[in-house]
Amino acid sequence: MSAARAKPAINPVRWQPPPVQPLPEFTLPELTLVPMPGHGPEDVVTDAGGSLWTGLVDGRIVRLTPDGESTVVADTGGRPLGLHVARDGRVLICDSYRGLLALDPGSGELTTLTRTVPVDGVGSQGCAPRGRPLRFCSNVTETADGTIYFTESTSDFHYEWFKAAIFEARGTGGLYRLNADGGVETLVSGLYFANGLTVTDDGSALVFAETQGRRLSKYWLTGPQAGTVTPLARHLPGMPDNISTGGDGRIWVAFVCPVNKPADWLAPRSPALRKLVWKLPAALQPDMPSEVWAVAFDPDSGRAVGGIRGKDPRFGQVTGVVERDGRLWLSTIGSDALAHCALPEWSPS
C-alpha cells in the first residue's frame, strides 16, 4: 500500500442511530497471544490442514501452523481484510485496494477475481466500463456449490479512512455475488457499513453484519424466502465486524468496540458538526475503546447463546473470530498479534 494519503473531505447526512439492547454478560477466559510479523491482523480463518491465515496492514498474507510458526506466503500490495478458505484450498482475500483476490497457498500466486462491482444495478463483467472500482472489499464466503459472495463496506472510502464512512452515515455498502463467468451481481445495496459474511450451517442463508447499522441479517438462498433479507439480530450494543459459523452452527460475531455515545449524539444533528469534528486531530475525535468481545448467536432465533467479553492490556478491538480445535481464535486491528482462548460452551436454554 502506498504512503499515507491526504485526509479526505466528508459529506455527512443526518442519521438516527438504532436503539441499543443489551446482550448477556460474558466473562473473558485466559488469553494466549501469538505474535505476528506485523500490525493489524484484521481477520483470521482456518484451513483443512489446521493452519490459520491472516492479513497484515502492509499487505502481507500470513499462514500460522498449529504449533505457532508463522510464514509470509504472499503480499497483495494493498490492505487485506476479510478472508475465506475455499473448497479447493485457495484463500479468498478481500483487499481494500486490490479488490477480490484468490491466493494459491502452495505457490503464493495471487489471482484477481474482480476489481469492480455493478453501478446502479447494472451487471459488472471484469473491468468493463459499466462496473465501478471496488473501494472497500470487506468480507467473503463460499457456498457448497462453489458460488462466491462478498461485501463492500462503503463505496466512498478505502480502509485507512473507515472512520470517514462512519462519520458520513451514508448507506453505501452492499452484498454481491461473483458469478461463474466473472461477472458480479448486486444482491443487497444501501447497507450501513456491510462487513462480516458467513453461510449458515445448513446452507439455507448467508448471514451478514452491518457495523454501523449494528445488526445481523439473513439473505436467504433457499426456500420460499430465497432472494430476500430478514433480520437475525438487531439493536446490538456494539459494532459487529467479521463473523464465522461455528462447528455447532452458532454464528460467531467479533465486536470491534461498544457503541460510541458521543458519535451517536452527533449523528442526528447538523452534519456541519461532524464536518467540524472530522477536521480535528484523531485524539480529539470519538474513540474506539479496546475490549476483547465476541458473541455467538443462534442462527435461527438470533439469540445470544455464548460469548466472551473483558479487557486485556495486551489485546483488544476484535475484528475477526473463528473456532479451531476447541479454541476461539481472535484477530484485531489494534495490535501485532492474534489471540486464542478456550471455546465457550453453547447455552441453549
Side-chain angles (χ1 to χ4, degrees):
M1 191 168 60
S2 60
R5 296 163 174 82
K7 193 174 189 178
I10 63 170
N11 184 24
V13 294
R14 290 180 186 267
W15 181 67
Q16 182 59 57
V20 172
Q21 294 179 350
L23 291 172
E25 295 291 330
F26 300 110
T27 59
L28 181 63
E30 181 179 357
L31 287 182
T32 299
L33 268 62
V34 180
M36 291 289 101
H39 191 73
E42 199 269 348
D43 196 13
V44 59
V45 297
T46 183
D47 64 23
S51 295
L52 294 124
W53 293 83
T54 191
L56 305 178
V57 72
D58 61 8
R60 289 178 292 167
I61 304 297
V62 177
R63 177 173 56 211
L64 183 71
T65 62
D67 61 5
E69 180 182 354
S70 62
T71 303
V72 175
V73 178
D75 189 336
T76 68
R79 193 348 172 175
L81 298 170
L83 309 174
H84 179 78
V85 178
R87 296 176 310 139
D88 60 9
R90 294 180 302 165
V91 181
L92 306 180
I93 303 167
C94 290
D95 189 288
S96 179
Y97 286 88
R98 302 292 181 254
L100 182 62
L101 311 174
L103 167 67
D104 182 319
S107 67
E109 181 181 1
L110 289 164
T111 302
T112 299
L113 299 180
T114 185
R115 290 181 181 269
T116 63
V117 290
V119 176
D120 298 329
V122 178
S124 164
Q125 177 70 38
C127 294
R130 290 189 295 184
R132 64 164 178 81
L134 258 171
R135 185 76 61 171
F136 198 134
C137 192
S138 192
N139 206 273
V140 59
T141 195
E142 180 192 41
T143 50
D145 64 358
T147 304
I148 294 172
Y149 299 84
F150 63 96
T151 58
E152 182 185 38
S153 294
T154 168
S155 61
D156 297 322
F157 304 97
H158 285 298
Y159 165 80
E160 63 184 303
W161 300 115
F162 69 87
K163 289 184 180 180
I166 301 298
F167 268 78
E168 280 205 341
R170 293 178 178 270
T172 64
L175 172 64
Y176 301 91
R177 177 169 58 213
L178 179 68
N179 295 320
D181 63 358
V184 176
E185 182 179 353
T186 302
L187 301 181
V188 187
S189 59
L191 300 179
Y192 284 87
F193 210 93
N195 207 324
L197 181 65
T198 191
V199 185
T200 57
D201 195 47
D202 63 4
S204 64
L206 304 171
V207 177
F208 63 90
E210 289 173 83
T211 301
Q212 185 163 31
R214 294 171 347 215
R215 60 191 174 195
L216 307 176
S217 302
K218 276 186 170 182
Y219 178 86
W220 290 92
L221 299 172
T222 64
Q225 295 177 296
T228 67
V229 175
T230 59
L232 179 63
R234 296 183 292 180
H235 306 158
L236 299 173
M239 314 294 273
D241 206 291
N242 292 320
I243 66 180
S244 64
T245 301
D248 50 17
R250 290 187 290 182
I251 305 300
W252 275 104
V253 179
F255 283 91
V256 65
C257 66
V259 168
N260 187 289
K261 292 182 179 179
D264 271 14
W265 183 88
L266 283 168
R269 288 169 170 79
S270 171
L273 288 174
R274 272 173 288 152
K275 284 187 175 182
L276 178 62
V277 173
W278 177 243
K279 294 178 180 179
L280 296 174
L284 300 178
Q285 295 175 0
D287 63 358
M288 296 169 56
S290 182
E291 292 192 11
V292 183
W293 193 8
V295 179
F297 292 85
D298 184 280
D300 299 314
S301 69
R303 189 170 57 87
V305 292
I308 61 171
R309 187 176 186 183
K311 293 186 178 182
D312 189 308
R314 306 168 300 162
F315 193 86
Q317 296 181 344
V318 178
T319 49
V321 56
V322 69
E323 292 182 16
R324 184 73 206 187
D325 297 332
R327 308 290 290 178
L328 196 65
W329 282 81
L330 309 168
S331 57
T332 177
I333 56 172
S335 76
D336 300 341
L338 296 175
H340 60 90
C341 64
L343 180 65
E345 296 181 357
W346 175 280
S347 303
S349 60

